[in-house]
Amino acid sequence: MIKADVNSNTKNIATAWLDMSNAIQEVEDERNATPRHNSSHLTTNSSETEFTQLTATSSIKTAFIQTSSQSSDQIKDDLRQQYDQRPEKIPDVATEMEKWFAMTDRYGFLEEKSSYSNARYKEKEVERAEKWARMSTNIMIHGEHAHKFTLNSKFKKRVFKGIPDCWRREAWYYMITDCLRTATKDYKLRTNYQELLLKQSTHERQIDLDIPRTLRDHIMFKQRYGSGQRALFNVLRAFANYDEEVGYCQGMTNIVATILMYCEEEKAFLVLVHMFLRDQLHNLFIPGFPSLMESFYIQEALLRRYIPRLYDHLTNLGLSSDIYSTRWYITLFSGGVIKYHTLVRIWDAYFLCGFDVFFFVAVALLKSYEDRLLASDLDVCMEILGSTMSVPDDNKFMRSIEKLHEKNLKNGTVRRLRQEYQSKRC
C-alpha cells in the first residue's frame, strides 16, 4: 500500500535528476534582470524578495516588464520555448540518482553531510508510514486514485506528530479537499488546467525572473529550465490566468515550490486552487492585502496575550508585526522563515486546521526566541526576525502550537479578534 505513494513521489524527483544531469549553462540573474531591492534578510533557500516594504496601499502584484525591442508576444513565446525544451541526452538514471542522494539531505536540499545516514530515523519513518497505510483506504474519484482517512482524534494527533514523507501528497490532498468532499469536481479543474496553459499571461516575465531565486539549493529547482522550474513556471502562469485578480504575486513561488516537492505538476495546481478556495487566500494577495493586514492585527493581539514582555519590548523598539512578519504570512512561512524540516510539520498542521494555525505558529516561534529578543537591540532583533529561524525540538514546537490551537477552538479567540478588526474598519 505504501509502494504506490513512494513511487509517485520518487518519479517526480527522479525527473528532476534527469534534467539536472544534462548541464544547461546556469543563466545569471543579470541576463533578464531589472533593479530589485536588496533582500539580505532572506536566505538562499527563499525567494529573494523584499517583503518588509508593504503597506495597506502598496502591492506586491507584479507587472509585465518589457526589456527589449521585441514584441511582448515574442518574448512570451521565447520564455515558453525555454521551459519546453527537453534534454538531448538521457544519462544513466541509477548512477545519477545515487550521486544526488549522496549530496542532499532527506528533503532534496544540497548539503555537505546527508541526513539519510540516520538509520534509526529511517526505521521510525517506515514504522510510521505503515501506520498511515493501515489508516487509509484507496478509492477512485473520476478515474483517479485517492486515499481516504477517518478524520478522528487519532488522525489529528498523527498529523501533529508529522505525516510521513511518502504520505504527505495523499494526506494533504485529503485534508485540503474537506475529506475529499470538494475533490469530486477536480476532473473539471484538470481539464481547465490544460486550457489555462495554452493562454498567455502578462505575468510570465516576472514569474521567470523570480523562479531562479526560489529554493535554489534544492535539486528539483536548481537546474535552470529543468523539470522542477518548468513545473513551477507552468503552475504559476496557469494560476495567474485562473485567478486574474490575484494574477501572480511574489511569495507565491515558495508556496507552489513546496507543494511541488510532494505533488506532480497537475496535482500541485489542484492543491493550490483548493488552498485559495478553502482559506480565502485570494484576500491575502489582492491589492490592499486585506487578509494580511488582518493577520498583523491578530498577531499583535495574541502576542499581548501570550508573550506580554516580548510584545512590550518589540513595541518599544518600534517593531510591530507588519514590519517583520509580512513574509511569514505572504509565503505561508515557506519563504526562508524556518528550517524546512520544521516547515513541513507546520504545513501538516495547516492542511488540517486551516490558515488560523499560522497565528499560533508565529506565537510559538517568537516564544522560542523570547530570551534572545529581550536581550537584543533593534538591529539584532531585525537580524533575528529576518533570518531563517530554527527551533531546538520540532516535536515540542508542534505540541505548543497544537495546545494553542485547541485552546482557540474552545474560546474562539481568533474569531473574536477577526470580528473586532472588521468592526474597526467599518
Side-chain angles (χ1 to χ4, degrees):
M1 283 183 286
I2 302 173
K3 185 176 180 181
D5 302 279
V6 176
N7 285 344
S8 64
N9 209 22
T10 303
K11 182 179 179 181
N12 193 28
I13 297 175
T15 305
W17 285 326
L18 284 173
D19 280 55
M20 288 177 57
S21 62
N22 294 270
I24 301 172
Q25 180 65 36
E26 181 72 20
V27 178
E28 298 294 335
D29 287 347
E30 288 79 5
R31 178 173 179 259
N32 292 319
T34 55
R36 302 176 67 85
H37 290 293
N38 179 31
S39 305
S40 58
H41 68 286
L42 295 181
T43 70
T44 56
N45 286 348
S46 66
S47 181
E48 296 180 353
T49 305
E50 175 65 76
F51 292 119
T52 59
Q53 304 293 331
L54 293 178
T55 67
T57 57
S58 67
S59 175
I60 55 172
K61 291 190 68 175
T62 53
F64 172 71
I65 303 171
Q66 186 167 329
T67 57
S68 76
S69 59
Q70 291 177 292
S71 69
S72 61
D73 288 346
Q74 182 61 48
I75 293 174
K76 293 169 191 173
D77 289 341
D78 291 344
L79 278 178
R80 283 191 289 274
Q81 288 175 10
Q82 290 275 24
Y83 283 100
D84 287 341
Q85 66 185 351
R86 294 296 189 272
E88 297 178 358
K89 180 181 177 182
I90 303 299
D92 182 80
V93 177
T95 302
E96 292 300 317
M97 290 182 68
E98 183 179 354
K99 178 180 71 174
W100 290 112
F101 260 123
M103 294 174 62
T104 66
D105 67 7
R106 54 178 286 229
Y107 297 109
F109 288 99
L110 297 170
E111 63 173 18
E112 293 181 2
K113 184 177 181 181
S114 174
S115 58
Y116 275 106
S117 59
N118 189 332
R120 175 55 191 155
Y121 173 81
K122 291 180 183 179
E123 182 181 342
K124 187 175 181 180
E125 184 79 352
V126 170
E127 291 174 359
R128 294 172 60 248
E130 290 173 347
K131 290 179 180 179
W132 276 80
R134 289 193 293 270
M135 286 198 308
S136 73
T137 303
N138 191 357
I139 65 172
M140 297 290 290
I141 303 177
H142 294 291
E144 296 287 334
H145 286 277
H147 282 82
K148 188 175 182 179
F149 304 87
T150 301
L151 191 63
N152 53 22
S153 58
K154 185 197 325 191
F155 178 84
K156 294 176 181 178
K157 285 290 182 184
R158 286 185 175 173
V159 168
F160 270 98
K161 286 182 179 179
I163 302 171
D165 286 328
C166 65
W167 280 101
R168 279 204 166 93
R169 175 186 183 274
E170 300 299 331
W172 284 3
Y173 184 67
Y174 169 77
M175 291 185 286
I176 200 62
T177 56
D178 189 22
C179 305
L180 299 180
R181 293 183 186 91
T182 60
T184 55
K185 295 183 179 180
D186 277 2
Y187 71 96
K188 294 181 179 179
L189 267 180
R190 290 188 182 93
T191 301
N192 194 14
Y193 179 64
Q194 299 305 321
E195 294 171 350
L196 291 168
L197 288 177
L198 299 176
K199 297 181 180 179
Q200 291 186 344
S201 170
T202 58
H203 300 280
E204 290 178 6
R205 180 68 161 172
Q206 187 61 48
I207 292 171
D208 176 63
L209 288 173
D210 286 343
I211 281 177
R213 305 179 176 101
T214 304
L215 296 175
R216 56 190 180 187
D217 283 346
H218 193 279
I219 59 169
M220 188 174 180
F221 304 104
K222 190 173 181 62
Q223 178 61 50
R224 191 65 172 117
Y225 303 116
S227 62
Q229 290 196 7
R230 182 164 59 247
L232 186 55
F233 180 73
N234 285 341
V235 173
L236 287 169
R237 68 187 181 91
F239 189 82
N241 287 323
Y242 175 82
D243 188 335
E244 294 183 348
E245 186 177 8
V246 169
Y248 166 73
C249 297
Q250 293 166 342
M252 289 173 64
T253 48
N254 295 88
I255 295 173
V256 174
T258 303
I259 302 171
L260 282 168
M261 289 185 198
Y262 293 96
C263 301
E264 66 277 15
E265 180 183 314
E266 185 180 77
K267 191 79 164 187
F269 176 76
L270 300 181
V271 171
L272 182 66
V273 169
H274 282 291
M275 289 167 68
F276 269 73
L277 293 175
R278 187 191 74 172
D279 299 312
Q280 300 179 348
L281 297 185
H282 176 92
N283 294 329
L284 187 66
F285 294 101
I286 59 175
F289 313 103
S291 290
L292 181 61
M293 300 303 135
E294 181 182 81
S295 297
F296 295 150
Y297 180 87
I298 293 172
Q299 178 173 309
E300 290 283 287
L302 292 176
L303 293 184
R304 273 197 310 271
R305 176 170 183 166
Y306 291 111
I307 326 176
R309 285 184 63 211
L310 181 59
Y311 169 80
D312 290 340
H313 178 65
L314 295 178
T315 300
N316 290 335
L317 292 176
L319 284 177
S320 54
S321 294
D322 60 300
I323 293 176
Y324 62 85
S325 63
T326 297
R327 70 183 176 124
W328 295 9
Y329 295 105
I330 213 72
T331 69
L332 308 186
F333 282 78
S334 66
V337 177
I338 198 162
K339 297 290 186 180
Y340 187 78
H341 58 83
T342 310
L343 172 66
V344 291
R345 296 284 299 274
I346 291 170
W347 271 40
D348 290 345
Y350 156 70
F351 281 106
L352 175 66
C353 305
F355 185 85
D356 288 359
V357 79
F358 289 126
F359 300 133
F360 304 109
V361 172
V363 171
L365 187 57
L366 289 169
K367 180 65 177 177
S368 68
Y369 275 78
E370 182 177 17
D371 292 340
R372 288 180 58 186
L373 290 169
L374 286 173
S376 302
D377 60 14
L378 175 62
D379 290 339
V380 176
C381 283
M382 282 295 292
E383 182 180 354
I384 292 171
L385 296 170
S387 66
T388 298
M389 304 168 81
S390 62
V391 295
D393 188 316
D394 283 354
N395 292 324
K396 290 182 179 178
F397 181 68
M398 294 307 299
R399 280 197 295 270
S400 66
I401 294 170
E402 183 180 12
K403 289 178 181 178
L404 288 169
H405 183 260
E406 287 177 348
K407 188 179 294 185
N408 172 67
L409 292 178
K410 293 178 181 178
N411 57 33
T413 302
V414 171
R415 184 184 68 253
R416 287 200 304 271
L417 289 172
R418 187 169 278 121
Q419 292 172 347
E420 183 179 296
Y421 175 78
Q422 294 299 332
S423 65
K424 288 185 176 182
R425 292 188 65 206
C426 296

